[in-house]
Each structure stands twice: as structure tokens, then as C-alpha cells.
């Protein structure tokens, strides 16, 4: 039997060996810090191993004098870099190197907020925004009308800068608009804020907190209707208590319900947390 074939069979079949517990190769994407890669050098088992990319983006292989940069490279590019390093240091002549991805740790996508199961997972391949929300169990009943997707990019001076895009839930889910079903590649934060609420208390039939699904259509009369109207003997005077987001101060705005109900005054729009 060819001794070279015997060596390969040993590596592949021995229980608990270097390759016995390797998972399936993941889709090839650019390698990042903390990713786990598998390096295979034909007929050189001393170099065949899994290697964790360091936080600085470098990897170390036995017998090589210098560490190699792996961050930002595709598997085929790091294959070339390893082969060139082995040849340049006269360790192997014309080595055949194969690099595959075992685990991604540099491509986290976090989904938080008003979802059923907040989660963080690695983008082993292309992931759409809808798929990310689905992995979190979908939207909860408290979900608001928007999904916020934040991406971080290096700025001109090298410092990270964040860009947040607001995605309407109706367009993403109800209309299935492909333009808003963003393609996520890892490093994104998906947040689903809870829907804003208006609090109705006092002499109404059903006091409570009512969701503000569309601020352009939320008004005093609509909230009174949701509260099932005024209770008997209720005064036709109401007040809106509104907080200033900048100063935190509260303002009390008097409302003449009688004039609004008699159509002698316009309905008053409301905002979340009134």
C-alpha cells in the first residue's frame, strides 16, 4: 500500500483524531478575528490542524518564524499566504494547502427588543432581515411599527461609526417588500422598539394604556373611543400631560371635550406617552 495513502486514511478515520470531529465546511466568507479555520497541508500532517484567529487577526503555524495575517482574507487567499510562507522559509517545496472555515465568531447578528426570543447568532452565510427576526421567534405583541438595523463601519479616521436604518414593519412583513428586507452579513444590531402607548385615566368606562400604531391618526377622540367613552357624570374637560424629552419637564394642556364633541373645535393629536 502506498504509505502516503496510509497516512491520509489514519488522519481521517482514527476516532477522536484531528479530523474526526470537524463539522461541515461553512460558506467561504472573509475571515475575521476569533474565527476558527482548518488548515490542511498535503502530505504534511504536522501542519494539518485547526487554528483560532487571534484578536489581532493573525494566526501561527508550527515551524513558521512569523505569524500570518488572516483577518480580511478569503480562505483561498490565506491558502496562498501559507503556501508562500512555507516555501519562503524553505520548510516545504511547492506545498498544497487547503483552508476551510470551521466556526465563525466575527460575524454576530443580535436581535433584541420586542421579539419573542432575543438572540445573537453568527452569520455563517448571507442572512436577510426577515430571517434574523424569524430566528428570534418573530415579533411580540408589544412590537412597534419599525425595526431598527444598526451597522458599524470604520470612519475616515479609523474610528467606528454607526448608521441606523428604520424599516417599517408593514413593508417588511405585510407587503413583503424586497427593498427593505436587508441582506445582513454580520456585525449588525437589529432592535425592535416596543409600540408607544397613550394612557387614558379618569372618568372613562375603560381606563388603560392604548398602543399608538400610527401617530398621524392618534387623537383625543380616538383614544376616548378605545376607552369606550366617558363615564356617567364625567366633566367635559380633559387634560393632556406631556413630558418634554429634552428637559424632562411635564406640561399640562387643557382640552375642551365639549367643543370637540360638538365639532366646534378640532380634535387634538396625541403622541406616545401622553
Amino acid at each position: 500500500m502506498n504509505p502516503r495513502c496510509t497516512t491520509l486514511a489514519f488522519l481521517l478515520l482514527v476516532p477522536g483524531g484531528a479530523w474526526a470531529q470537524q463539522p461541515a465546511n461553512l460558506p467561504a466568507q472573509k475571515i475575521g478575528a476569533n474565527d476558527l479555520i482548518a488548515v490542511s497541508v498535503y502530505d504534511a500532517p504536522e501542519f494539518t490542524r485547526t487554528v483560532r484567529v487571534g484578536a489581532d487577526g493573525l494566526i501561527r503555524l508550527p515551524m513558521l518564524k512569523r505569524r500570518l495575517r488572516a483577518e480580511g482574507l478569503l480562505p483561498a487567499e490565506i491558502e496562498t499566504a501559507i503556501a508562500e510562507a512555507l516555501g519562503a522559509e524553505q520548510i516545504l517545496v511547492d506545498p498544497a494547502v487547503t483552508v476551510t472555515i470551521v466556526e465563525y465568531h466575527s460575524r454576530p447578528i443580535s436581535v433584541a427588543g420586542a421579539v419573542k426570543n432575543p438572540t445573537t447568532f453568527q452569520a455563517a452565510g448571507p442572512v436577510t432581515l426577515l430571517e434574523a427576526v424569524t430566528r428570534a421567534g418573530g415579533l411580540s405583541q408589544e412590537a412597534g411599527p419599525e425595526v431598527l438595523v444598526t451597522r458599524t463601519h470604520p470612519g475616515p479616521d479609523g474610528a467606528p461609526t454607526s448608521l441606523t436604518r428604520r424599516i417599517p414593519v408593514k413593508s417588511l412583513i405585510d407587503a413583503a417588500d424586497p427593498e427593505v428586507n436587508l441582506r445582513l452579513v454580520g456585525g449588525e444590531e437589529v432592535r425592535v422598539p416596543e409600540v408607544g402607548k397613550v394612557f387614558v385615566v379618569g372618568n372613562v368606562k375603560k381606563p388603560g394604556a392604548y398602543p399608538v400604531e400610527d401617530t398621524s391618526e392618534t387623537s383625543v377622540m380616538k383614544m376616548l373611543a378605545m376607552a369606550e367613552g366617558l363615564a356617567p357624570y364625567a366633566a367635559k374637560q380633559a387634560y393632556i400631560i406631556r413630558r418634554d424629552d429634552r428637559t424632562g419637564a411635564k406640561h399640562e394642556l387643557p382640552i375642551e371635550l365639549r367643543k370637540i364633541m360638538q365639532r366646534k373645535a378640532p380634535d387634538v393629536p396625541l403622541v406616545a406617552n401622553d
Side-chain angles (χ1 to χ4, degrees), residues 21-136:
Q21 297 180 350
Q22 292 300 325
N25 179 32
L26 297 176
Q29 301 186 79
K30 287 187 177 181
I31 298 167
N34 301 316
D35 288 347
L36 185 65
I37 63 175
V39 179
S40 173
V41 181
Y42 181 69
D43 205 22
E46 64 272 22
F47 293 103
T48 298
R49 61 189 59 224
T50 55
V51 181
R52 178 76 65 184
V53 181
D56 56 2
L58 303 178
I59 62 171
R60 180 179 293 281
L61 292 177
M63 301 175 65
L64 285 178
K65 295 179 181 179
R66 62 184 180 89
R67 295 193 296 165
L68 303 178
R69 174 156 297 279
E71 186 176 16
L73 299 180
L74 291 168
E77 295 172 325
I78 191 62
E79 288 173 356
T80 301
I82 293 173
E84 290 177 350
L86 292 172
E89 297 189 19
Q90 299 182 353
I91 299 174
L92 293 175
V93 177
D94 195 19
V97 181
T98 301
V99 172
T100 55
I101 306 296
V102 178
E103 295 175 358
Y104 280 114
H105 283 265
S106 62
R107 297 176 174 273
I109 296 176
S110 62
V111 187
V115 291
K116 295 179 181 178
N117 300 301
T119 185
T120 298
F121 62 93
Q122 294 290 324
V127 179
T128 65
L129 175 58
L130 191 56
E131 288 172 344
V133 172
T134 301
R135 288 200 186 199

Side-chain angles (χ1 to χ4, degrees), residues 41 46 72 93 169 176 180-181 187 208 224 229 245 252 272:
V41 181
E46 64 272 22
V93 177
V169 170
V180 300
N181 191 17
L224 282 180
D245 292 336
E252 191 173 273

Side-chain angles (χ1 to χ4, degrees), residues 162-264:
S162 297
L163 176 65
T164 300
R165 182 170 175 182
R166 297 177 176 270
I167 305 298
V169 170
K170 289 183 178 180
S171 299
L172 178 65
I173 297 179
D174 297 342
D177 185 353
E179 293 296 326
V180 300
N181 191 17
L182 304 181
R183 182 177 179 271
L184 309 180
V185 297
E188 294 90 354
E189 293 182 357
V190 179
R191 291 171 293 154
V192 184
E194 291 189 1
V195 65
K197 296 179 180 179
V198 169
F199 303 88
V200 184
V201 296
N203 289 328
V204 293
K205 294 180 181 178
K206 191 178 178 181
Y210 296 94
V212 180
E213 298 180 357
D214 189 342
T215 55
S216 63
E217 298 180 0
T218 303
S219 65
V220 169
M221 294 307 294
K222 182 178 180 179
M223 288 297 106
L224 282 180
M226 296 184 70
E228 298 183 1
L230 299 175
Y233 309 111
K236 299 301 187 292
Q237 179 81 31
Y239 297 90
I240 299 174
I241 300 176
R242 182 169 295 168
R243 181 186 297 273
D244 190 320
D245 292 336
R246 295 173 297 177
T247 63
K250 292 183 179 180
H251 303 281
E252 191 173 273
L253 309 175
I255 302 296
E256 294 291 341
L257 288 179
R258 186 186 303 276
K259 292 184 178 180
I260 296 176
M261 297 173 70
Q262 295 175 351
R263 298 183 179 180
K264 294 181 179 180

